[in-house]
Amino acid sequence: MTIEKAPVHDFASDWDHSDPEWVKDPYPIWDDLRQRCPVAHTERYGGGWFPATHAGVSAVANDTEHFTSRTVVIGNGRPMEDALPAPIGVAPPITSDPPFHQIARRLILPAFAPGPVNALEPMIRSLCSDLLERVAGQEVINASSDYAQFIPPSVIKRMLGFPEQDEDLFREFVHVILEGIDEPVEERIEKFAPIEAYFQAQIEEHAQNPREDLTTFLMNAEILGEKLEPQHVAGTMILVLVAGIDTTWSAIGASLWHLAQNPQDLERLVNEPDLMPFAIEEFLRFYAPVTMARLVKQDMEFLGCSMKQDDWILLGFPAANRDPAVLERAGEFIIDRKENRHLAFGLGIHRCAGSNLARLELRVAIEEFIKRYPRFELAEPSAVTWAAGQVRGPRSIPIRVA
Amino acid sequence: MKVVIDAARCQGHGRCFSLAPAVFGYDELGNGLVLGDGVLDADGLELARLAEANCPEHAISIGES
Ligand code: HEM
């Protein structure tokens, strides 16, 4: 069951990131807000703000004194109801504030540093080519549901050391956590129960059979000589699963969706492999999938707005990426753009811990796809659907490959 | 000319060592670091400028050595 909502008439005073118009194509809305506001307000979700400019997003992302990450996904509930108290938060380090944040973050960063991540490349490459092999011979394949959606869960499953056959479950968990924002709080808590139970079972299984993976690592990790709190271990595992799947799947999907409609970009990428590093960053900038939230700690004036304690801030990294005040031709996709300080992976202390892995998956997924199909086009533009919520990406992309 | 990374600003986006591996490396956390003494020849300068222009945190600066 979802709560019925009135349609939005003016995003400046009543924004809603789950409104169908925003879900379908948010960019014109953000362009308009950037000129008019530039911080939009809403009474929905108990009150919140949306800075549409690069300056506004940076100001909030870099200010951990006035904003907390205690809850980073907007919902209907008041924030404290289903969250552990700061500074640990439900899913460290993303829901942690300083000073604990840095401790929780440093713990996991080595696992996501370039060395260990780059070692995964051959595995990801054979995964991608196997997925394409499964639909070989078809004239139309779905770049999202036949391909992109399978890549990140398979990688994460191996990192965490989870059973082969559980991938479908993960996608369901991610859906519950990220896309169920319009459900009442009680229903959300109820739906979370099996997720917690699943992770608990994995932890117990790892206690019996410790092995070389992130789960065992977290279970053995210590902070100042003490083992991590059990909720910390489970919270970080859930975070890696949730943060690593929808996001990367969306980035791969959006990139292929772009190439399917822009034959000149596809042709250049096929013929000029040296463009790949720049193209990857432009895909990430232009179709940045992730929008995160903060909560206002105390009543205050900020960016000219009277913010109240526990108001939401929707941190529009994707909107900041298209702000013409900081970037030339910000509204255009330029495949060989050389200067690109985009914020797809956030800004400040919460910079995406998985960014090296995400980039690797994105690059290999595109390379393998265009190697097999140097020419392809969108088969049915009207069949493309977009995920609602704070992670934006195409969920169905029928592509004609022959 | 010489390049430096402000470690207090660097958050490990990894743009510098990806774009200019001849000039930048990374530590065990994946944060960027300058290889050697950071003094740049002409090629190094061009690479360092590219990295500087792509750092989301504005953590890289290039100045007189
Ligand atoms: C294209 C894919 C991805 C995008 C666009 C993305 C984006 C982001 C963003 C914007 C943040 C900052 C959140 C904030 O400021 O509150 C973040 C944090 C995080 N991401 Fe990603 N992410 C991606 C893939 C991944 C992957 C593959 C993993 C791991 C397997 C991952 C793990 C994390 C973690 C652990 C954090 C929390 C870091 C902290 O709070 O210190 N992400 N991500």
Side-chain angles (χ1 to χ4, degrees), chain A residues 112 152-158 160 162 166-167 169-175 177-178 195 198-199 214 234-248:
Chain A
F112 294 98
S154 190
V155 176
I156 299 291
K157 172 194 70 189
R158 281 171 219 225
L160 286 169
F162 286 2
D166 291 353
E167 271 177 50
L169 263 182
F170 303 161
R171 274 190 299 277
E172 198 183 306
F173 293 167
V174 173
H175 182 81
I177 295 172
L178 290 177
I195 303 181
Y198 178 86
F199 278 83
L214 197 56
T236 298
M237 289 165 67
I238 295 180
L239 168 60
V240 169
L241 187 94
V242 172
I245 292 185
D246 241 30
T247 51
T248 316

mmCIF file of all heavy atoms in Angstrom, chain A residues 112 152-158 160 162 166-167 169-175 177-178 195 198-199 214 234-248:
data_model
loop_
_atom_site.group_PDB
_atom_site.id
_atom_site.type_symbol
_atom_site.label_atom_id
_atom_site.label_comp_id
_atom_site.label_asym_id
_atom_site.label_seq_id
_atom_site.Cartn_x
_atom_site.Cartn_y
_atom_site.Cartn_z
ATOM 1 N N PHE A 112 38.226 -1.189 -0.682
ATOM 2 C CA PHE A 112 37.735 -0.562 -1.913
ATOM 3 C C PHE A 112 38.793 0.289 -2.598
ATOM 4 O O PHE A 112 38.487 1.044 -3.509
ATOM 5 C CB PHE A 112 36.498 0.288 -1.610
ATOM 6 C CG PHE A 112 35.312 -0.519 -1.157
ATOM 7 C CD1 PHE A 112 35.006 -0.650 0.185
ATOM 8 C CD2 PHE A 112 34.517 -1.172 -2.086
ATOM 9 C CE1 PHE A 112 33.924 -1.400 0.602
ATOM 10 C CE2 PHE A 112 33.431 -1.923 -1.688
ATOM 11 C CZ PHE A 112 33.135 -2.038 -0.334
ATOM 12 N N PRO A 152 26.172 -5.667 -10.879
ATOM 13 C CA PRO A 152 26.584 -5.319 -9.499
ATOM 14 C C PRO A 152 26.239 -6.364 -8.421
ATOM 15 O O PRO A 152 27.088 -6.646 -7.574
ATOM 16 C CB PRO A 152 25.879 -3.988 -9.235
ATOM 17 C CG PRO A 152 25.421 -3.488 -10.550
ATOM 18 C CD PRO A 152 25.282 -4.644 -11.464
ATOM 19 N N PRO A 153 25.041 -7.001 -8.466
ATOM 20 C CA PRO A 153 24.763 -7.967 -7.389
ATOM 21 C C PRO A 153 25.763 -9.113 -7.383
ATOM 22 O O PRO A 153 26.151 -9.609 -6.315
ATOM 23 C CB PRO A 153 23.361 -8.493 -7.708
ATOM 24 C CG PRO A 153 22.802 -7.632 -8.746
ATOM 25 C CD PRO A 153 23.895 -6.836 -9.377
ATOM 26 N N SER A 154 26.181 -9.513 -8.561
ATOM 27 C CA SER A 154 27.100 -10.631 -8.632
ATOM 28 C C SER A 154 28.451 -10.259 -8.018
ATOM 29 O O SER A 154 29.084 -11.065 -7.329
ATOM 30 C CB SER A 154 27.240 -11.013 -10.099
ATOM 31 O OG SER A 154 27.914 -12.196 -10.220
ATOM 32 N N VAL A 155 28.880 -9.017 -8.261
ATOM 33 C CA VAL A 155 30.158 -8.556 -7.712
ATOM 34 C C VAL A 155 30.072 -8.417 -6.187
ATOM 35 O O VAL A 155 30.939 -8.884 -5.449
ATOM 36 C CB VAL A 155 30.562 -7.208 -8.360
ATOM 37 C CG1 VAL A 155 31.832 -6.668 -7.731
ATOM 38 C CG2 VAL A 155 30.731 -7.367 -9.869
ATOM 39 N N ILE A 156 28.997 -7.811 -5.717
ATOM 40 C CA ILE A 156 28.823 -7.581 -4.277
ATOM 41 C C ILE A 156 28.695 -8.900 -3.519
ATOM 42 O O ILE A 156 29.251 -9.071 -2.433
ATOM 43 C CB ILE A 156 27.552 -6.724 -4.020
ATOM 44 C CG1 ILE A 156 27.675 -5.377 -4.688
ATOM 45 C CG2 ILE A 156 27.283 -6.584 -2.527
ATOM 46 C CD1 ILE A 156 28.681 -4.472 -4.098
ATOM 47 N N LYS A 157 27.961 -9.814 -4.107
ATOM 48 C CA LYS A 157 27.773 -11.130 -3.503
ATOM 49 C C LYS A 157 29.134 -11.790 -3.248
ATOM 50 O O LYS A 157 29.385 -12.348 -2.187
ATOM 51 C CB LYS A 157 26.940 -11.967 -4.473
ATOM 52 C CG LYS A 157 26.782 -13.400 -4.122
ATOM 53 C CD LYS A 157 26.236 -14.159 -5.318
ATOM 54 C CE LYS A 157 27.301 -14.244 -6.412
ATOM 55 N NZ LYS A 157 26.809 -14.764 -7.680
ATOM 56 N N ARG A 158 30.028 -11.661 -4.224
ATOM 57 C CA ARG A 158 31.357 -12.246 -4.028
ATOM 58 C C ARG A 158 32.147 -11.504 -2.958
ATOM 59 O O ARG A 158 32.857 -12.103 -2.168
ATOM 60 C CB ARG A 158 32.148 -12.226 -5.328
ATOM 61 C CG ARG A 158 31.718 -13.353 -6.238
ATOM 62 C CD ARG A 158 32.342 -13.189 -7.590
ATOM 63 N NE ARG A 158 31.343 -13.564 -8.578
ATOM 64 C CZ ARG A 158 31.588 -14.338 -9.621
ATOM 65 N NH1 ARG A 158 32.792 -14.804 -9.815
ATOM 66 N NH2 ARG A 158 30.636 -14.633 -10.472
ATOM 67 N N LEU A 160 30.989 -9.927 -0.352
ATOM 68 C CA LEU A 160 30.467 -10.227 0.981
ATOM 69 C C LEU A 160 30.521 -11.714 1.304
ATOM 70 O O LEU A 160 30.369 -12.104 2.460
ATOM 71 C CB LEU A 160 29.019 -9.724 1.101
ATOM 72 C CG LEU A 160 28.843 -8.203 1.225
ATOM 73 C CD1 LEU A 160 27.373 -7.834 1.058
ATOM 74 C CD2 LEU A 160 29.353 -7.678 2.564
ATOM 75 N N PHE A 162 28.410 -14.156 -0.043
ATOM 76 C CA PHE A 162 27.037 -14.660 0.083
ATOM 77 C C PHE A 162 26.774 -15.735 -0.965
ATOM 78 O O PHE A 162 27.416 -15.770 -1.992
ATOM 79 C CB PHE A 162 26.024 -13.516 -0.101
ATOM 80 C CG PHE A 162 25.940 -12.582 1.073
ATOM 81 C CD1 PHE A 162 26.749 -12.742 2.185
ATOM 82 C CD2 PHE A 162 25.035 -11.535 1.053
ATOM 83 C CE1 PHE A 162 26.668 -11.873 3.262
ATOM 84 C CE2 PHE A 162 24.942 -10.657 2.130
ATOM 85 C CZ PHE A 162 25.757 -10.819 3.223
ATOM 86 N N ASP A 166 21.403 -16.268 -4.221
ATOM 87 C CA ASP A 166 20.600 -15.261 -3.526
ATOM 88 C C ASP A 166 20.488 -13.905 -4.221
ATOM 89 O O ASP A 166 19.916 -12.971 -3.672
ATOM 90 C CB ASP A 166 21.146 -15.038 -2.104
ATOM 91 C CG ASP A 166 20.908 -16.243 -1.220
ATOM 92 O OD1 ASP A 166 20.210 -17.173 -1.673
ATOM 93 O OD2 ASP A 166 21.425 -16.270 -0.096
ATOM 94 N N GLU A 167 21.020 -13.816 -5.427
ATOM 95 C CA GLU A 167 21.026 -12.518 -6.103
ATOM 96 C C GLU A 167 19.656 -11.870 -6.249
ATOM 97 O O GLU A 167 19.525 -10.662 -6.098
ATOM 98 C CB GLU A 167 21.640 -12.673 -7.487
ATOM 99 C CG GLU A 167 23.121 -12.490 -7.473
ATOM 100 C CD GLU A 167 23.706 -12.723 -8.842
ATOM 101 O OE1 GLU A 167 23.194 -12.136 -9.806
ATOM 102 O OE2 GLU A 167 24.642 -13.518 -8.935
ATOM 103 N N LEU A 169 17.131 -12.155 -4.347
ATOM 104 C CA LEU A 169 16.766 -11.624 -3.040
ATOM 105 C C LEU A 169 17.362 -10.238 -2.818
ATOM 106 O O LEU A 169 16.706 -9.333 -2.325
ATOM 107 C CB LEU A 169 17.329 -12.534 -1.952
ATOM 108 C CG LEU A 169 16.454 -13.590 -1.331
ATOM 109 C CD1 LEU A 169 17.244 -14.323 -0.254
ATOM 110 C CD2 LEU A 169 15.224 -12.943 -0.721
ATOM 111 N N PHE A 170 18.651 -10.078 -3.191
ATOM 112 C CA PHE A 170 19.315 -8.783 -2.963
ATOM 113 C C PHE A 170 18.588 -7.671 -3.683
ATOM 114 O O PHE A 170 18.392 -6.595 -3.155
ATOM 115 C CB PHE A 170 20.762 -8.771 -3.493
ATOM 116 C CG PHE A 170 21.633 -9.831 -2.919
ATOM 117 C CD1 PHE A 170 22.804 -10.186 -3.568
ATOM 118 C CD2 PHE A 170 21.304 -10.458 -1.741
ATOM 119 C CE1 PHE A 170 23.615 -11.166 -3.052
ATOM 120 C CE2 PHE A 170 22.113 -11.442 -1.223
ATOM 121 C CZ PHE A 170 23.274 -11.803 -1.885
ATOM 122 N N ARG A 171 18.216 -7.972 -4.931
ATOM 123 C CA ARG A 171 17.543 -6.918 -5.691
ATOM 124 C C ARG A 171 16.237 -6.535 -5.014
ATOM 125 O O ARG A 171 15.853 -5.373 -4.982
ATOM 126 C CB ARG A 171 17.317 -7.360 -7.134
ATOM 127 C CG ARG A 171 18.526 -7.086 -8.015
ATOM 128 C CD ARG A 171 18.206 -7.298 -9.477
ATOM 129 N NE ARG A 171 17.810 -8.660 -9.724
ATOM 130 C CZ ARG A 171 18.674 -9.659 -9.904
ATOM 131 N NH1 ARG A 171 19.963 -9.416 -9.904
ATOM 132 N NH2 ARG A 171 18.252 -10.877 -10.097
ATOM 133 N N GLU A 172 15.572 -7.515 -4.428
ATOM 134 C CA GLU A 172 14.330 -7.236 -3.723
ATOM 135 C C GLU A 172 14.607 -6.381 -2.475
ATOM 136 O O GLU A 172 13.900 -5.421 -2.195
ATOM 137 C CB GLU A 172 13.698 -8.563 -3.334
ATOM 138 C CG GLU A 172 12.243 -8.474 -2.989
ATOM 139 C CD GLU A 172 11.754 -9.843 -2.540
ATOM 140 O OE1 GLU A 172 11.950 -10.821 -3.300
ATOM 141 O OE2 GLU A 172 11.212 -9.922 -1.423
ATOM 142 N N PHE A 173 15.675 -6.706 -1.742
ATOM 143 C CA PHE A 173 16.036 -5.918 -0.554
ATOM 144 C C PHE A 173 16.264 -4.457 -0.936
ATOM 145 O O PHE A 173 15.799 -3.532 -0.279
ATOM 146 C CB PHE A 173 17.338 -6.431 0.074
ATOM 147 C CG PHE A 173 17.249 -7.801 0.681
ATOM 148 C CD1 PHE A 173 18.412 -8.483 1.039
ATOM 149 C CD2 PHE A 173 16.025 -8.418 0.907
ATOM 150 C CE1 PHE A 173 18.351 -9.749 1.600
ATOM 151 C CE2 PHE A 173 15.960 -9.691 1.471
ATOM 152 C CZ PHE A 173 17.126 -10.351 1.822
ATOM 153 N N VAL A 174 17.028 -4.295 -2.013
ATOM 154 C CA VAL A 174 17.366 -2.944 -2.441
ATOM 155 C C VAL A 174 16.094 -2.182 -2.786
ATOM 156 O O VAL A 174 15.925 -1.020 -2.428
ATOM 157 C CB VAL A 174 18.319 -2.989 -3.657
ATOM 158 C CG1 VAL A 174 18.552 -1.605 -4.214
ATOM 159 C CG2 VAL A 174 19.643 -3.625 -3.261
ATOM 160 N N HIS A 175 15.194 -2.877 -3.441
ATOM 161 C CA HIS A 175 13.933 -2.252 -3.816
ATOM 162 C C HIS A 175 13.176 -1.794 -2.565
ATOM 163 O O HIS A 175 12.683 -0.678 -2.498
ATOM 164 C CB HIS A 175 13.098 -3.244 -4.625
ATOM 165 C CG HIS A 175 11.810 -2.667 -5.080
ATOM 166 N ND1 HIS A 175 11.722 -1.855 -6.182
ATOM 167 C CD2 HIS A 175 10.566 -2.737 -4.554
ATOM 168 C CE1 HIS A 175 10.465 -1.470 -6.317
ATOM 169 N NE2 HIS A 175 9.745 -1.986 -5.351
ATOM 170 N N ILE A 177 14.343 -1.074 0.372
ATOM 171 C CA ILE A 177 15.016 -0.003 1.099
ATOM 172 C C ILE A 177 14.955 1.326 0.344
ATOM 173 O O ILE A 177 14.696 2.369 0.928
ATOM 174 C CB ILE A 177 16.474 -0.402 1.413
ATOM 175 C CG1 ILE A 177 16.475 -1.591 2.382
ATOM 176 C CG2 ILE A 177 17.255 0.778 1.989
ATOM 177 C CD1 ILE A 177 17.832 -2.214 2.641
ATOM 178 N N LEU A 178 15.161 1.274 -0.961
ATOM 179 C CA LEU A 178 15.288 2.535 -1.700
ATOM 180 C C LEU A 178 14.012 3.025 -2.352
ATOM 181 O O LEU A 178 13.834 4.210 -2.551
ATOM 182 C CB LEU A 178 16.349 2.400 -2.792
ATOM 183 C CG LEU A 178 17.791 2.304 -2.316
ATOM 184 C CD1 LEU A 178 18.700 2.097 -3.512
ATOM 185 C CD2 LEU A 178 18.198 3.557 -1.555
ATOM 186 N N ILE A 195 14.952 -8.706 5.931
ATOM 187 C CA ILE A 195 16.288 -8.286 5.480
ATOM 188 C C ILE A 195 17.262 -8.448 6.636
ATOM 189 O O ILE A 195 18.342 -9.028 6.495
ATOM 190 C CB ILE A 195 16.269 -6.815 4.991
ATOM 191 C CG1 ILE A 195 15.245 -6.660 3.864
ATOM 192 C CG2 ILE A 195 17.664 -6.374 4.572
ATOM 193 C CD1 ILE A 195 15.141 -5.276 3.276
ATOM 194 N N TYR A 198 17.976 -12.065 7.241
ATOM 195 C CA TYR A 198 18.887 -12.643 6.248
ATOM 196 C C TYR A 198 20.341 -12.325 6.605
ATOM 197 O O TYR A 198 21.207 -13.204 6.593
ATOM 198 C CB TYR A 198 18.559 -12.095 4.849
ATOM 199 C CG TYR A 198 19.502 -12.638 3.791
ATOM 200 C CD1 TYR A 198 19.248 -13.856 3.170
ATOM 201 C CD2 TYR A 198 20.667 -11.948 3.444
ATOM 202 C CE1 TYR A 198 20.117 -14.374 2.229
ATOM 203 C CE2 TYR A 198 21.552 -12.453 2.507
ATOM 204 C CZ TYR A 198 21.265 -13.669 1.898
ATOM 205 O OH TYR A 198 22.144 -14.177 0.976
ATOM 206 N N PHE A 199 20.590 -11.078 6.939
ATOM 207 C CA PHE A 199 21.973 -10.699 7.261
ATOM 208 C C PHE A 199 22.450 -11.393 8.530
ATOM 209 O O PHE A 199 23.596 -11.794 8.632
ATOM 210 C CB PHE A 199 22.106 -9.175 7.350
ATOM 211 C CG PHE A 199 22.254 -8.559 5.993
ATOM 212 C CD1 PHE A 199 21.149 -8.285 5.218
ATOM 213 C CD2 PHE A 199 23.513 -8.308 5.467
ATOM 214 C CE1 PHE A 199 21.281 -7.771 3.941
ATOM 215 C CE2 PHE A 199 23.657 -7.786 4.187
ATOM 216 C CZ PHE A 199 22.539 -7.512 3.428
ATOM 217 N N LEU A 214 34.508 -9.708 2.899
ATOM 218 C CA LEU A 214 34.250 -8.498 3.663
ATOM 219 C C LEU A 214 33.459 -8.803 4.938
ATOM 220 O O LEU A 214 33.643 -8.144 5.966
ATOM 221 C CB LEU A 214 33.486 -7.512 2.761
ATOM 222 C CG LEU A 214 33.446 -6.053 3.174
ATOM 223 C CD1 LEU A 214 34.843 -5.478 3.364
ATOM 224 C CD2 LEU A 214 32.674 -5.235 2.145
ATOM 225 N N ALA A 234 26.279 -5.605 10.729
ATOM 226 C CA ALA A 234 25.141 -5.823 9.829
ATOM 227 C C ALA A 234 24.828 -4.553 9.045
ATOM 228 O O ALA A 234 24.536 -4.612 7.845
ATOM 229 C CB ALA A 234 23.919 -6.272 10.621
ATOM 230 N N GLY A 235 24.919 -3.399 9.697
ATOM 231 C CA GLY A 235 24.599 -2.128 9.035
ATOM 232 C C GLY A 235 25.532 -1.850 7.871
ATOM 233 O O GLY A 235 25.096 -1.421 6.803
ATOM 234 N N THR A 236 26.822 -2.110 8.063
ATOM 235 C CA THR A 236 27.777 -1.864 6.984
ATOM 236 C C THR A 236 27.571 -2.861 5.848
ATOM 237 O O THR A 236 27.661 -2.510 4.675
ATOM 238 C CB THR A 236 29.227 -1.924 7.506
ATOM 239 O OG1 THR A 236 29.397 -0.895 8.479
ATOM 240 C CG2 THR A 236 30.237 -1.710 6.392
ATOM 241 N N MET A 237 27.250 -4.101 6.197
ATOM 242 C CA MET A 237 26.974 -5.093 5.147
ATOM 243 C C MET A 237 25.768 -4.674 4.316
ATOM 244 O O MET A 237 25.792 -4.717 3.084
ATOM 245 C CB MET A 237 26.726 -6.472 5.777
ATOM 246 C CG MET A 237 27.984 -7.102 6.344
ATOM 247 S SD MET A 237 27.622 -8.506 7.442
ATOM 248 C CE MET A 237 26.938 -9.685 6.277
ATOM 249 N N ILE A 238 24.712 -4.243 4.995
ATOM 250 C CA ILE A 238 23.512 -3.807 4.271
ATOM 251 C C ILE A 238 23.845 -2.598 3.407
ATOM 252 O O ILE A 238 23.428 -2.495 2.257
ATOM 253 C CB ILE A 238 22.347 -3.497 5.251
ATOM 254 C CG1 ILE A 238 21.910 -4.779 5.959
ATOM 255 C CG2 ILE A 238 21.180 -2.855 4.515
ATOM 256 C CD1 ILE A 238 20.774 -4.628 6.947
ATOM 257 N N LEU A 239 24.653 -1.701 3.953
ATOM 258 C CA LEU A 239 25.029 -0.513 3.186
ATOM 259 C C LEU A 239 25.749 -0.894 1.899
ATOM 260 O O LEU A 239 25.429 -0.398 0.816
ATOM 261 C CB LEU A 239 25.934 0.402 4.037
ATOM 262 C CG LEU A 239 26.632 1.524 3.259
ATOM 263 C CD1 LEU A 239 25.617 2.446 2.600
ATOM 264 C CD2 LEU A 239 27.559 2.323 4.171
ATOM 265 N N VAL A 240 26.728 -1.785 2.010
ATOM 266 C CA VAL A 240 27.506 -2.150 0.825
ATOM 267 C C VAL A 240 26.591 -2.776 -0.228
ATOM 268 O O VAL A 240 26.685 -2.487 -1.416
ATOM 269 C CB VAL A 240 28.653 -3.108 1.216
ATOM 270 C CG1 VAL A 240 29.299 -3.713 -0.007
ATOM 271 C CG2 VAL A 240 29.689 -2.365 2.052
ATOM 272 N N LEU A 241 25.668 -3.595 0.250
ATOM 273 C CA LEU A 241 24.735 -4.228 -0.678
ATOM 274 C C LEU A 241 23.835 -3.195 -1.354
ATOM 275 O O LEU A 241 23.696 -3.165 -2.574
ATOM 276 C CB LEU A 241 23.879 -5.236 0.095
ATOM 277 C CG LEU A 241 22.973 -6.087 -0.771
ATOM 278 C CD1 LEU A 241 23.672 -7.391 -1.114
ATOM 279 C CD2 LEU A 241 21.672 -6.383 -0.064
ATOM 280 N N VAL A 242 23.262 -2.312 -0.542
ATOM 281 C CA VAL A 242 22.309 -1.351 -1.094
ATOM 282 C C VAL A 242 23.019 -0.289 -1.932
ATOM 283 O O VAL A 242 22.592 0.051 -3.028
ATOM 284 C CB VAL A 242 21.513 -0.667 0.043
ATOM 285 C CG1 VAL A 242 20.667 0.462 -0.509
ATOM 286 C CG2 VAL A 242 20.647 -1.686 0.741
ATOM 287 N N ALA A 243 24.139 0.208 -1.407
ATOM 288 C CA ALA A 243 24.838 1.298 -2.104
ATOM 289 C C ALA A 243 25.502 0.802 -3.367
ATOM 290 O O ALA A 243 25.751 1.570 -4.284
ATOM 291 C CB ALA A 243 25.888 1.918 -1.172
ATOM 292 N N GLY A 244 25.807 -0.484 -3.423
ATOM 293 C CA GLY A 244 26.573 -0.986 -4.550
ATOM 294 C C GLY A 244 25.750 -1.505 -5.705
ATOM 295 O O GLY A 244 26.276 -1.694 -6.796
ATOM 296 N N ILE A 245 24.454 -1.756 -5.495
ATOM 297 C CA ILE A 245 23.685 -2.442 -6.531
ATOM 298 C C ILE A 245 22.899 -1.495 -7.433
ATOM 299 O O ILE A 245 23.231 -1.310 -8.596
ATOM 300 C CB ILE A 245 22.764 -3.515 -5.891
ATOM 301 C CG1 ILE A 245 23.647 -4.637 -5.302
ATOM 302 C CG2 ILE A 245 21.792 -4.083 -6.914
ATOM 303 C CD1 ILE A 245 22.886 -5.811 -4.736
ATOM 304 N N ASP A 246 21.868 -0.860 -6.876
ATOM 305 C CA ASP A 246 21.000 0.003 -7.671
ATOM 306 C C ASP A 246 21.747 1.107 -8.390
ATOM 307 O O ASP A 246 21.458 1.456 -9.532
ATOM 308 C CB ASP A 246 20.024 0.693 -6.708
ATOM 309 C CG ASP A 246 18.608 0.341 -7.026
ATOM 310 O OD1 ASP A 246 18.421 -0.768 -7.526
ATOM 311 O OD2 ASP A 246 17.722 1.174 -6.794
ATOM 312 N N THR A 247 22.715 1.663 -7.671
ATOM 313 C CA THR A 247 23.491 2.784 -8.159
ATOM 314 C C THR A 247 24.245 2.436 -9.436
ATOM 315 O O THR A 247 24.100 3.093 -10.455
ATOM 316 C CB THR A 247 24.523 3.150 -7.085
ATOM 317 O OG1 THR A 247 25.215 1.949 -6.716
ATOM 318 C CG2 THR A 247 23.853 3.713 -5.854
ATOM 319 N N THR A 248 25.004 1.342 -9.369
ATOM 320 C CA THR A 248 25.866 0.980 -10.482
ATOM 321 C C THR A 248 25.043 0.449 -11.651
ATOM 322 O O THR A 248 25.318 0.760 -12.817
ATOM 323 C CB THR A 248 26.880 -0.081 -10.003
ATOM 324 O OG1 THR A 248 27.387 0.336 -8.732
ATOM 325 C CG2 THR A 248 28.027 -0.211 -10.970
#
